[in-house]
Amino acid sequence: PLSDDVDARVLARGTAGFCGADLANLVNEAALNAARYNQKTVTMQDFEFAKDKVMMGSERRSLVINEEEKQITAIHEAGHALLGVELEHSDPVHKVTIIPRGMALGVTQQLPEDDKHNYSSEYLHDQVAVLLGGRIAEEITNTTVTTGAGNDLDRVTELARRMVCEWGMSEAVGPLTFGRKEGEEIFLGRDIVQHKDYSEDTAIRIDQEIKRIVTDNYDRARSVLTEKKSELLRIAEELLTREVLSGDQVKRIVSGQSLEEPATS
């Protein structure tokens, strides 16, 4: 049986794209976790554990992380989380953790409030800014940056490229698409490839626009994190103590409240 605290809507928001087998695996893992602790009901905490395990892999508690790396991870995730709360068009922050899972040393989870089929330019710009938040948080609190933002930068670059080349979201380049896709024979080991169907001058403008989108959002994110540096450091400190923070707890920290008080909008 399910506990009264199980919120199917929150679970649905966090499992977008799951197939039937994925959902069955989620329920099985939640039930196994409940049985592990001799519980009579499956709680929301069990489903959270199961969701993280299915999506990101098992917790790597045996992974040895020194205090300096742990602190950098906490700062990095705090940067993502603070921007996720502060930026108007970003998805709400659901949870932040510095417990290693899979290849990640920490994770900030954002869950959309509704199904999305189209993405606004404002939403995409905020997504770029949030992705850059981890790197920027490291920069403004340490004398150096680490390789921890590598995956974030990959995602930022690809997102900015698609904004320019696929979705016509650059005024300088215009409402055009670039890089015509064509399918090739799968049995030859080739899938969809992009063909360059534009001039070198256009390629230079595309590169400039991709960099401009990233740089503009970098400056915007850095301004927010610099202004809220004390809140950034407090999020990191609480992560080092608790290892996991809910979205509501992050909101309370950003608004200067105690974690024991209810969040205010």
Side-chain angles (χ1 to χ4, degrees), residues 34-202:
R36 189 177 295 121
Y37 295 100
N38 296 316
Q39 297 168 192
K40 293 184 179 179
T41 58
V42 183
T43 68
M44 192 65 180
Q45 186 174 354
D46 298 314
F47 277 106
E48 281 290 334
F49 173 87
K51 176 169 65 70
D52 290 349
K53 184 175 181 180
V54 170
M55 293 180 70
M56 297 177 288
S58 300
E59 291 183 0
R60 300 174 65 192
R61 293 280 185 177
S62 60
L63 184 65
V64 178
I65 303 174
N66 63 43
E67 285 304 310
E68 183 182 2
E69 280 192 325
K70 195 172 182 182
Q71 188 169 20
I72 291 172
T73 300
I75 286 288
H76 184 103
E77 296 307 325
H80 290 313
L82 193 152
L83 288 170
V85 167
E86 283 289 288
L87 298 182
E88 179 183 358
H89 300 285
S90 67
D91 288 326
V93 174
H94 174 62
K95 181 169 62 177
V96 193
T97 175
I98 58 169
I99 299 171
R101 283 185 179 274
M103 297 300 293
L105 296 179
V107 177
T108 298
Q109 294 181 2
Q110 293 174 268
L111 302 186
E113 291 181 319
D114 301 295
D115 289 341
K116 277 189 169 68
H117 305 289
N118 286 300
Y119 300 96
S120 69
S121 174
E122 292 84 0
Y123 172 85
L124 294 171
H125 279 286
D126 278 3
Q127 190 172 3
V128 170
V130 171
L131 285 168
L132 291 168
R135 165 68 173 256
I136 296 168
E138 291 182 31
E139 289 179 359
I140 66 176
T141 58
N142 299 290
T143 56
T144 186
V145 295
T146 71
T147 59
N151 180 251
D152 296 333
L153 299 181
D154 281 345
R155 292 167 65 190
V156 161
T157 306
E158 176 61 13
L159 187 53
R161 186 198 65 78
R162 297 188 72 185
M163 289 171 71
V164 175
C165 296
E166 293 184 31
W167 300 325
M169 293 181 176
S170 162
E171 290 186 8
V173 173
L176 303 168
T177 62
F178 300 95
R180 181 170 47 91
K181 296 185 179 74
E182 288 187 3
E184 294 193 1
E185 294 86 347
I186 303 300
F187 67 86
L188 291 178
R190 297 175 181 174
D191 202 341
I192 294 176
V193 296
Q194 285 192 329
H195 291 266
K196 186 175 177 180
D197 53 1
Y198 46 88
S199 69
E200 287 298 325
D201 286 344
T202 300

